Amino acid sequence: MATVAEQWVLVEMVQALYEAPAYHLILEGILILWIIRLLFSKTYKLQERSDLTVKEKEELIEEWQPEPLVPPVSKDHPALNYNIVSGPPSHNIVVNGKECINFASFNFLGLLDNPRLKAAALASLKKYGVGTCGPRGFYGTFDVHLDLEDRLAKFMKTEEAIIYSYGFATIASAIPAYSKRGDIVFVDKAACFAIQKGLQASRSDIKLFNHNDMDDLERLLKEQEIEDQKNPRKARVTRRFIVVEGLYMNTGTICPLPELVKLKYKYKARIFLEESLSFGVLGEHGRGVTEHFGIDIDDIDLISANMENSLASIGGFCCGRSFVIDHQRLSGQGYCFSASLPPLLAAAAIEALNIMEENPGIFAVLKEKCKRIHKALQGISGLKVVGESISPAFHLQLEESTGCRERDVKLLQEIVTQCMDRGIALTQARYLEKEEKYLPPPSIRVVVTVEQTEEELEKAATTISKVAQTVLL
Amino acid sequence: MRTEPGGCCCRRPLRANDCVANGEVRNGYVRSSAATAAAAAGQIHHVTQNGGLYKRPFNEGFEETPMLVAVLTYVGYGVLTLFGYLRDFLRHWRIEKCHHATEREEQKDFVSLYQDFENFYTRNLYMRIRDNWNRPICSVPGARVDIMERQSHDYNWSFKYTGNVIKDVINMGSYNYLGFARNTGPCQEAAAKVLEEYGVGVCSPRQEIGNLDKHEELEKLVASFLGVEAAMTYGMGFATNSMNIPALVSKGCLILSDELNHASLVLGARLSGATIRVFKHNNMQSLEKLLKDAIVYGQPRTRRPWKKILILVEGIYSMEGSIVRLPEVIALKKKYKAYLYLDEAHSIGALGPTGRGVVDYFGLDPEDVDIMMGTFTKSFGASGGYIGGKKELIDYLRTHSHSAVYATSLSPPVVEQIITSMKCIMGQDGTTLGKECIQQLAENVRYFRRRLKNMGFIIYGNEDSPVVPLMLYMPAKIGAFGREMLKRNIGVVVVGFPATPIIESRARFCLSAAHTKEMLDTALKEIDEVGDLLHLKYSRHRSVPLLDRPFDETTYEETED
């Protein structure tokens, strides 16, 4: 039935076509052509092509207003007005005109005003002048540099050492010399700013693990292992590094090196160790965290430290096996592209190493003092001690934050200022708040040195505790 | 404190990526006669437009590489590469002894620390002529220097010191422009005094408790020396760039950087997270085009306008010996409301009638440069760097510079060296010694450059630049020139790829006020002799102004990801 009806409709349609007037057919034909044209024509444009005329461009250029080069800084920015130290920043220090005992400079071994260091530096000054007037490659290598590298390598019992002219640039240059785009770096969340910058410069993939949390690190390493199995070809060329600090600047804690070494061999990741605070502090002979744990130094691929703390000079060094270290002589940016360390600073560092080697007892003394003040500072209401008891640089944080960082900083600054009035020079640990990956809570950093006597340590502890009482309660 | 690559194998990061393109561009003008015609037209246009900006003649030229030399240079590299592969093959099968350090047995199954190809160049090309770099010295890096003699018995893989000293080598390598590298005299005495009082270290960053009265004194002096409102100083020149540029610009900002900028500027720009676009070396047309396009088209993809545009240039380019076309840069910067960061590492002290650097040289106003950066390593014979500018800028840096928060401040005796030498240049020490040094340097520069040109060498750069590159081109001549000169008791710096484009290997002389005419004459005589020996006198005396070297319009851009 249905087919018959359809046929009928079709016939009718053809008939209607015959019967239709000519004008109608012409109109319909035009309409069909029009539709076809629309179908095949290019997509329509919202506007004409967007080429700007010269005049329009000029107007745009005229209109554009850049942001100011720098935003204004408020007059009472906490970091704008620096403390002014008159005279040497040694054990007895004059800060803002007030005589204080120094609990702020990283002069752990008290070598800053050591007459032997000064004499060595002076002799060097008289021989070489001050500057080197060139990078290491171009007549900027002095015999003193070679001596210092030799001495550092011997002291650390490694094959080779390389020196940089700036502490910060050491690890920041070393990391990107090895780790490139596509490589993977596992790094502790509490890592210091220099490490963060080195990682940024390397453009590697960064995996952060919780501070000193080996389970978290292992979790990440395992995840990576699974990832690697999926793409073994890529895994064959992806280098893996673990970057940790020996003694953390931001927390005053020691890294669990034995576990790290185990993980290193299990997951085949190389360890880079930043020892700026632990070099010349930890271990029986001050060789740092490897000696502290009794770890074979060859198990660590690269150790970097600065010479600006214990050695009381300027600059930094990396040490390890020649296979690793030598590469920096052509790839360490801060090494190749920067003028070398002034020889007088290198000479001072050599003398500091001499002193460290001649007085190995000094490290035990330092440890003793750390423990003493650490203990004395426990139980101050409102303040908590953060950091290992053998760490010569540790933090005092507010037990309870006021909830506003700015206010916390002000409170702590008040404590610092009042302590300074009473002859104890302290400083807050300073951070670039917007730049830090994991901004540590505000804190006062207390630095212990071997020059501080028992009475002075006692005095510092009581002063801090008293001041804290008045400020916080 | 900053300089260019230590040796021929150092990477120059930005350029490492586009150095091939770069080489092609540089050779471009060998092949294109049409471009020369266009360039000639451009020159006329250029003079009428910008000639009025200059108060003094600006004579800067770059003679083009002779075609035959270019071809032979490529052949030279080809042969070296072939031999490299051959020797790698022999090493692989243990036919040739391997000298380089190897991985620990325990870590053989780790992912290799280096890519094999990465080291091919080092192993097979650099190692052959390694003795030309890192020559250890054992005296003041003054006009004459003592070099420790060393020998290698394993083809430069390791060096043994013989214990002998090569005495009184004429030093044409150190950046001792004004001759302040001395171990006697007022600077040394003042530094010694401060050393005895303060010691050498500081053991704290500026923001904590490392801000000494000496630093404050230095900063006031630097500000008055530069003629700016305020200044801040840092412990390392390299770090002055790499740790302060990130404080000034960030994501959403645009950096326009000269293609030959120093590694520290490149690193700072990269760390900032801003978009980087590179313009042809000292080429104002290229810069203007980038500026115009940046403002008109805004940021890529989002099309938002840029927050700010920062132009990064150097005063003297340490590998080319060229001087920045500062009057034009300032005119452009004003027209397009960009900010200008001027790195005067090599020019401060060494240029200008009063030694105030490139701004002084062109007779411009220091206020027109937003950020005046420079180092103390070179002309002042010390170490460290500074930034000068408006008070707001310096206040901001005092609170936000990475260096002020995290890095130990300048060593006090070094500070004193800077103070004393700077006062000497300013004439505040009551003598005319500083002024004489500046004049002496300028005279030495003109004399030395003129004589070399007349001898028929191809010399790059500006006639007033104390950095004098002499073109060697062929890789084999790098080593030969360095060695022959040392044999004749003259210490020179030779550089090759990747510090320079691949075919433009060169020797570089740095002049000093401490060079006497006799020393220069001796050096010139020897250079002349070695030049004949090695056939280095390529010049056909057809110098092409830099601006007229054709450039392609493609620019290289990178964003932090």
Side-chain angles (χ1 to χ4, degrees), chain A residues 292-420:
Chain A
H292 177 75
F293 284 113
I295 299 256
D296 181 5
I297 202 148
D298 277 348
D299 282 334
I300 311 299
D301 294 83
L302 179 136
I303 290 178
S304 112
N306 70 30
M307 305 191 280
E308 296 163 356
N309 302 339
S310 288
L311 294 183
S313 181
I314 302 280
F317 69 91
C318 285
C319 63
R321 301 187 70 248
S322 295
F323 174 69
V324 179
I325 299 301
D326 203 44
H327 182 64
Q328 287 178 53
R329 297 197 192 273
L330 290 173
S331 302
Q333 284 215 359
Y335 178 87
C336 303
F337 296 100
S338 158
S340 50
L341 187 68
L344 72 98
L345 298 171
I350 293 176
E351 194 58 30
L353 281 174
N354 286 339
I355 294 172
M356 277 162 65
E357 280 178 346
E358 287 162 26
N359 311 293
I362 197 171
F363 306 107
V365 173
L366 181 64
K367 226 167 270 175
E368 215 36 64
K369 295 198 167 165
C370 294
K371 281 184 189 157
R372 180 178 291 273
I373 191 162
H374 207 88
K375 211 165 144 200
L377 284 172
Q378 299 291 338
I380 299 177
S381 56
L383 284 181
K384 62 176 176 198
V385 182
V386 176
E388 213 82 33
S389 67
I390 52 166
S391 164
F394 57 91
H395 298 257
L396 295 173
Q397 287 173 7
L398 290 176
E399 227 158 34
E400 272 173 54
S401 164
T402 56
C404 160
R405 192 175 174 100
E406 221 170 291
R407 225 175 304 151
D408 289 359
V409 168
K410 267 202 179 129
L411 272 178
L412 291 171
Q413 190 53 45
E414 187 54 36
I415 298 178
V416 168
T417 318
Q418 289 202 21
C419 283
M420 264 191 213

Side-chain angles (χ1 to χ4, degrees), chain A residues 29-241:
Chain A
I30 291 171
L31 276 175
I32 288 167
L33 284 176
W34 185 249
I35 288 168
I36 291 169
R37 207 204 126 177
L38 279 180
L39 277 177
F40 286 92
S41 73
K42 279 191 184 160
T43 48
Y44 63 92
K45 277 186 198 142
L46 272 173
Q47 62 195 65
E48 283 304 294
R49 281 198 56 200
S50 64
D51 273 355
L52 296 165
T53 61
V54 175
K55 193 159 168 283
E56 281 171 319
K57 281 187 182 175
E58 271 169 13
E59 276 171 9
L60 279 171
I61 290 166
E62 196 57 43
E63 260 172 39
W64 182 66
Q65 278 304 331
E67 285 181 7
L69 180 59
V70 288
V73 180
S74 74
K75 282 271 174 289
D76 56 344
H77 190 287
L80 182 59
N81 300 305
Y82 295 172
N83 294 317
I84 297 180
V85 176
S86 332
S90 49
H91 177 55
N92 294 306
I93 186 170
V94 181
V95 191
N96 303 331
K98 289 168 222 154
E99 275 183 46
C100 297
I101 302 158
N102 194 344
F103 279 85
S105 308
F106 299 110
N107 179 21
F108 303 131
L109 303 179
L111 296 177
L112 200 129
D113 54 353
N114 187 297
R116 279 178 64 186
L117 249 76
K118 286 182 185 174
L122 193 63
S124 169
L125 173 65
K126 286 191 171 146
K127 186 171 176 201
Y128 303 101
V130 175
T132 58
C133 288
R136 287 291 292 266
F138 305 155
Y139 304 99
T141 302
F142 286 60
D143 46 357
V144 198
H145 295 135
L146 301 173
D147 287 348
L148 176 59
E149 285 177 349
D150 221 33
R151 286 298 306 280
L152 282 166
K154 284 217 178 84
F155 180 82
M156 293 298 283
K157 299 193 172 165
T158 54
E159 279 181 14
E160 193 165 339
I162 179 171
I163 53 173
Y164 283 78
S165 53
Y166 202 46
F168 189 96
T170 313
I171 188 73
S173 295
I175 294 175
Y178 304 98
S179 185
K180 311 279 180 200
R181 200 189 278 273
D183 294 337
I184 299 168
V185 187
F186 300 89
V187 61
D188 194 292
K189 273 186 184 166
C192 65
F193 197 71
I195 294 181
Q196 294 173 31
K197 287 291 125 181
L199 292 173
Q200 197 190 338
S202 78
R203 302 159 170 219
S204 311
D205 292 340
I206 293 151
K207 313 241 166 175
L208 292 151
F209 59 91
N210 291 333
H211 177 49
N212 272 353
D213 183 348
M214 291 302 107
D215 296 334
D216 197 36
L217 172 60
E218 184 152 21
R219 179 183 62 83
L220 288 173
L221 286 163
K222 257 194 197 131
E223 261 174 30
Q224 187 54 43
E225 202 176 43
I226 293 165
E227 199 66 29
D228 286 350
Q229 279 160 0
K230 279 187 208 151
N231 193 351
R233 184 179 273 192
K234 191 175 163 218
R236 267 203 297 278
V237 292
T238 307
R239 287 168 283 241
R240 273 154 292 231
F241 301 93

Side-chain angles (χ1 to χ4, degrees), chain A residues 52 57 61-62 64-71 73 77 79-80 82-89 95 104-107 112 118 121-122 125-139 141-143 146 165-166 168-169 178 180-181 193 197 200-201 203 235-241 264-265 268-270 298-299 301 308-309 312 314 321 323-324 327 330-331 333-334 336-339 342 344-345 348 427-432 435-436 445, chain B residues 1-7 9-11 13 101-104 107 109-115 122 126 133-141 147-148 161 174-175 182-183 188 192 195-201 203 206-209 211-213 232 235-236 238-239 243 248 262-263 270-271 292 295-296 306-309 336-337 339 371 377 381-383 392-393 395-396 398-400 402-409 411 417 491-493 495 508 558 561:
Chain A
L52 296 165
K57 281 187 182 175
I61 290 166
E62 196 57 43
W64 182 66
Q65 278 304 331
E67 285 181 7
L69 180 59
V70 288
V73 180
H77 190 287
L80 182 59
Y82 295 172
N83 294 317
I84 297 180
V85 176
S86 332
V95 191
S105 308
F106 299 110
N107 179 21
L112 200 129
K118 286 182 185 174
L122 193 63
L125 173 65
K126 286 191 171 146
K127 186 171 176 201
Y128 303 101
V130 175
T132 58
C133 288
R136 287 291 292 266
F138 305 155
Y139 304 99
T141 302
F142 286 60
D143 46 357
L146 301 173
S165 53
Y166 202 46
F168 189 96
Y178 304 98
K180 311 279 180 200
R181 200 189 278 273
F193 197 71
K197 287 291 125 181
Q200 197 190 338
R203 302 159 170 219
R236 267 203 297 278
V237 292
T238 307
R239 287 168 283 241
R240 273 154 292 231
F241 301 93
K264 162 186 168 165
Y265 287 109
K268 305 197 191 323
R270 294 164 199 273
D298 277 348
D299 282 334
D301 294 83
E308 296 163 356
N309 302 339
I314 302 280
R321 301 187 70 248
F323 174 69
V324 179
H327 182 64
L330 290 173
S331 302
Q333 284 215 359
C336 303
F337 296 100
S338 158
L344 72 98
L345 298 171
T427 174
Q428 282 199 65
R430 302 278 191 186
Y431 304 102
L432 286 175
E435 311 273 331
E436 287 276 354
R445 201 193 288 110
Chain B
M1 220 37 193
R2 27 136 313 138
T3 21
E4 54 295 321
C9 265
C10 298
R11 282 184 192 105
T102 47
E103 180 79 286
R104 288 171 81 200
Q107 291 182 217
D109 53 344
F110 280 44
V111 175
S112 154
L113 189 54
Y114 312 115
Q115 269 154 10
T122 317
Y126 171 67
W133 293 279
N134 302 304
R135 286 174 179 158
I137 68 172
C138 49
S139 70
V140 189
I147 296 181
M148 289 163 74
Y161 295 97
S174 295
Y175 309 126
R182 297 181 58 186
N183 57 0
Q188 184 268 341
L195 170 74
E196 294 202 40
E197 192 189 339
Y198 283 78
V200 295
C203 294
R206 293 286 298 275
Q207 280 204 3
E208 290 181 359
I209 206 153
N211 179 45
L212 306 185
D213 45 0
M232 188 165 181
M236 184 197 201
F238 185 96
M243 293 167 85
L248 298 172
H262 187 257
R270 281 186 177 171
L271 290 177
K292 208 182 257 172
I295 299 174
V296 170
W306 294 102
K307 286 189 197 158
K308 47 192 167 189
I309 300 176
Y336 294 96
K337 292 177 252 171
Y339 298 108
I371 303 135
T377 316
S383 76
E392 300 92 76
L393 170 75
D395 277 354
Y396 185 79
R398 276 169 85 89
T399 50
H400 290 83
H402 299 184
S403 200
V405 187
Y406 298 102
T408 308
S409 27
S411 161
Q417 162 84 18
V492 297
V493 165
V495 276
R508 190 189 59 181
E558 75 172 73
D561 43 1

Side-chain angles (χ1 to χ4, degrees), chain B residues 466-478:
Chain B
V467 179
V468 187
L470 181 152
M471 302 312 289
L472 303 173
Y473 298 111
M474 294 170 204
K477 291 184 182 178
I478 303 175

Side-chain angles (χ1 to χ4, degrees), chain B residues 240-280:
Chain B
T240 309
N241 281 333
S242 61
M243 293 167 85
N244 284 308
I245 296 173
L248 298 172
V249 284
S250 57
K251 205 165 181 293
C253 300
L254 177 68
I255 289 176
L256 298 180
S257 169
D258 191 290
E259 64 176 338
L260 296 186
N261 272 347
H262 187 257
S264 56
L265 288 164
V266 175
L267 179 65
R270 281 186 177 171
L271 290 177
S272 72
T275 302
I276 304 163
R277 287 184 187 152
V278 178
F279 60 91
K280 295 291 163 224

